[in-house]
Structure formats: structure tokens, C-alpha cells
């Protein structure tokens, strides 16, 4: 049986990106940076999502507008454009904006895995915080759904996770817009609790979705998705939306209890997300 075929490999500021095609699942590709998986894409069926966190975000996208209706979506962090491809597959022609820090990576992904003809996906290259701070009168305004997936390999930098940053994201969102933030954390979820506190200081409605047990003090690091909006969240009002087995969801009083005394992150006292290589997670 042939081995997996490397589609591309390149250096990005002393880091290495690689896109690999699966030998067992036709049309499936995995993007990694420094050996850390970033995105999985199915070119044969873009609605086939590998990671649980992408499935949770996709279900929230499904509820954000009538089936098939256009949904202006902003993706902060491109990866292999997994969720942008999902939106195009389920809502053809939806206007989408991608903010990506590394042009070489984006260009290599698009060259290897082109977007479908007719896809309305625009890209701005640059640091997401700098782009959010800039004046963009027409390109990023009134976003109906914003995905914040800003990884520097395996770490989220504090300048794209602060109250000041989220205020700028909120200002560019529609009145009923939804923001979904993808995190990586483990018990006692100190970082995620601070992120939930921070988003709660900006938006009226916040919910946290975890696939791990919130109280499992021996569990490994895992994805945590924080949803935020100024309108009630569909993932809360319609919990069956997330399918089965249903992940753990914290909102209202339960979320307040979980956040406890976690401090809001600001530009002054924010921290980067947990490093998976830190011995504390062994």
C-alpha cells in the first residue's frame, strides 16, 4: 500500500508547514505546522468535519441563518480553510473574509487545494489585531459570524485574546452576529475561564462548549469553544443543535460559577494560551 503523499512542505520564519493526503480516506488532507495538526479538509465532501470543535462551530453556523441563505462570515486565521469551505458547501456564494498572517502558507494551501469556482472568499494578509485596529470601511463590517482561530503553531498570543481585541471584533459584528473562539486548555481551565470572563465583559451572551469533563483534573488538553453574541445564542436555546453525544455546555449561572474569580484579560495583563509541551500537562 502506498504511503501518504506529501503535497507541500515549506519553511515559515523558521517553522515548517506540511500538507499531507490520507492514503485511507480519499480527498482528505491534513495541514500541520511544526508537526502540530492545524486543519483537516475533505475535498470530496467539505461538510465532513474531522475535529469536534469544527463540528460545534459548523452547527452554530447552520443556525445563524435560514438553510442555504448567504452568511457573511469572517475567519480570523485561515489554516486550510476548513470552515470557509463548509460555508461555501452549505451556503454557496456567501461572502467570506479571511485574515491570515502568513501569505506563503495561504498561497500554498490554495494552490494545492483550490476553492470551488464561484466562491466569494477575500483575504487580508496581516496580524489579526493590526487588521482589527485598522480602518476597513467595507471589507470587514457587520459580520454575521466570526471564527477566531488564531494559532501561532500551538499557542494563541495574548494580543489577539484581550478585551481590547474582542471589543474591536464586536464593533465589526452585526447586531445579532455570533463570535466563536477556539481555544486549547485543560483542567483547571485557567486560561479558558479568563477568556470566558473577557468575552462576557464585551458581549451580553456567552456559552462555553467542552468535549472534556469540566471537573476531570486528570484529563488531557482539549479544544474549548467559546460562543459570544449580543443576542441569545442558538447553542443555548436549542441545545440539541450540537448533536449527540452532546458536549458539555456552560452558560448563565453555571458559567458564572465556572468563571469564578478568573480575571478579565487586557492588553496589559493578558497571557498566551497554555503551551501543550509544558510539563504541567504530562
Amino acid at each position: 500500500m502506498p504511503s501518504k503523499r506529501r503535497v507541500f512542505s515549506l519553511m515559515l520564519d523558521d517553522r515548517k508547514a506540511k500538507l499531507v493526503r490520507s492514503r485511507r480516506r480519499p480527498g482528505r488532507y491534513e495541514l500541520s505546522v511544526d508537526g502540530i495538526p492545524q486543519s483537516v479538509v475533505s475535498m470530496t465532501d467539505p461538510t465532513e468535519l474531522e475535529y469536534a470543535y469544527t463540528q460545534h462551530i459548523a452547527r452554530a453556523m447552520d443556525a445563524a441563518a435560514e438553510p442555504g441563505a448567504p452568511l457573511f462570515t469572517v475567519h480570523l486565521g485561515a489554516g486550510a480553510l476548513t470552515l470557509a469551505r463548509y460555508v461555501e458547501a452549505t451556503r454557496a456564494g456567501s461572502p467570506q473574509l479571511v485574515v491570515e498572517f502568513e501569505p506563503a502558507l495561504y498561497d500554498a494551501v490554495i494552490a494545492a487545494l483550490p476553492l470551488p469556482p464561484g466562491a466569494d472568499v477575500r483575504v487580508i494578509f496581516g496580524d489579526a489585531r493590526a487588521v482589527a485596529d485598522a480602518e476597513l470601511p467595507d471589507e470587514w463590517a457587520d459580520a454575521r459570524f466570526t471564527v477566531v482561530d488564531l494559532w501561532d503553531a500551538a499557542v494563541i498570543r495574548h494580543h489577539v485574546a484581550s478585551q481590547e481585541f474582542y471589543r474591536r471584533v464586536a464593533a465589526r459584528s452585526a447586531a445579532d452576529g455570533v463570535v466563536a473562539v477556539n481555544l486549547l486548555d485543560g483542567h483547571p481551565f485557567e486560561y479558558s475561564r479568563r477568556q470566558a470572563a473577557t468575552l462576557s465583559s464585551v458581549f451580553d451572551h456567552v456559552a462555553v462548549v467542552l468535549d472534556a469533563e469540566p471537573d476531570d483534573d486528570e484529563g488531557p488538553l482539549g479544544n474549548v469553544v467559546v460562543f459570544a453574541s449580543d443576542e441569545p445564542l442558538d447553542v443555548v436555546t436549542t441545545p440539541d443543535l450540537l448533536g449527540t453525544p452532546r458536549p458539555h455546555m456552560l452558560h448563565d449561572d453555571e458559567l458564572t460559577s465556572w468563571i469564578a474569580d478568573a480575571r478579565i484579560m487586557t492588553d496589559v495583563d493578558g497571557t498566551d494560551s497554555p503551551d501543550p509541551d509544558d510539563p504541567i500537562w504530562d
Side-chain angles (χ1 to χ4, degrees):
M1 180 178 294
S3 62
K4 293 180 180 180
R5 182 170 65 88
R6 187 171 61 189
V7 176
F8 74 75
S9 180
L10 72 160
M11 297 301 297
L12 303 165
D13 296 329
D14 299 324
R15 294 185 295 131
K16 187 175 182 180
K18 186 166 66 173
L19 183 65
V20 172
R21 183 179 67 183
S22 172
R23 68 171 184 256
R24 295 187 178 90
R25 297 170 63 180
R28 179 187 181 275
Y29 296 80
E30 181 178 84
L31 174 69
S32 63
V33 176
D34 287 345
I36 300 165
Q38 303 287 312
S39 304
V40 175
V41 168
S42 171
M43 294 298 286
T44 54
D45 181 4
T47 67
E48 181 183 290
L49 302 173
E50 179 79 7
Y51 299 138
Y53 84 88
T54 58
Q55 295 169 14
H56 303 329
I57 295 173
R59 298 294 84 78
M61 287 174 164
D62 291 343
E66 292 297 318
L71 182 70
F72 176 33
T73 309
V74 173
H75 306 266
L76 304 183
L81 297 166
T82 302
L83 286 168
R85 297 174 196 274
Y86 179 88
V87 171
E88 177 60 23
T90 56
R91 303 174 181 275
S94 289
Q96 300 189 72
L97 177 67
V98 171
V99 177
E100 172 55 41
F101 184 68
E102 296 173 308
L105 177 60
Y106 181 90
D107 291 344
V109 168
I110 291 298
L113 307 176
L115 291 167
D120 182 8
V121 178
R122 295 162 291 161
V123 60
I124 297 174
F125 294 117
D127 178 83
R129 177 60 182 270
V131 173
D133 287 345
E135 292 295 329
L136 301 173
D138 298 318
E139 290 180 280
W140 180 5
D142 295 329
R144 293 289 306 284
F145 205 104
T146 302
V147 180
V148 183
D149 203 6
L150 292 167
W151 295 89
D152 181 2
V155 174
I156 301 168
R157 301 304 175 188
H158 67 272
H159 73 293
V160 289
S162 67
Q163 184 185 59
E164 293 86 345
F165 173 69
Y166 290 131
R167 282 175 174 165
R168 286 160 174 76
V169 173
R172 296 182 180 278
S173 298
D176 60 348
V178 177
V179 175
V181 183
N182 177 38
L183 310 173
L184 185 71
D185 204 358
H187 191 273
F189 297 101
E190 292 180 0
Y191 180 81
S192 295
R193 291 190 296 110
R194 290 195 70 187
Q195 283 289 281
T198 304
L199 284 156
S200 294
S201 74
V202 176
F203 295 91
D204 292 338
H205 299 270
V206 173
V208 171
V209 175
L210 309 96
D211 289 289
E213 291 282 349
D215 300 321
D216 182 2
D217 60 3
E218 295 184 355
L221 280 172
N223 289 92
V224 177
V225 181
V226 186
F227 291 99
S229 179
D230 283 331
E231 294 294 326
L233 290 158
D234 291 301
V235 294
V236 172
T237 59
T238 313
D240 289 343
L241 182 70
L242 296 177
T244 54
R246 189 180 299 172
H248 298 278
M249 183 162 58
L250 307 171
H251 59 89
D252 298 327
D253 291 344
E254 191 175 14
L255 178 61
T256 300
S257 177
W258 187 71
I259 291 173
D261 58 355
R263 293 179 296 111
I264 293 168
M265 286 193 185
T266 68
D267 284 344
V268 174
D269 70 350
T271 60
D272 294 344
S273 67
D275 188 333
D277 292 330
D278 193 308
I280 191 175
W281 304 113
D282 292 341

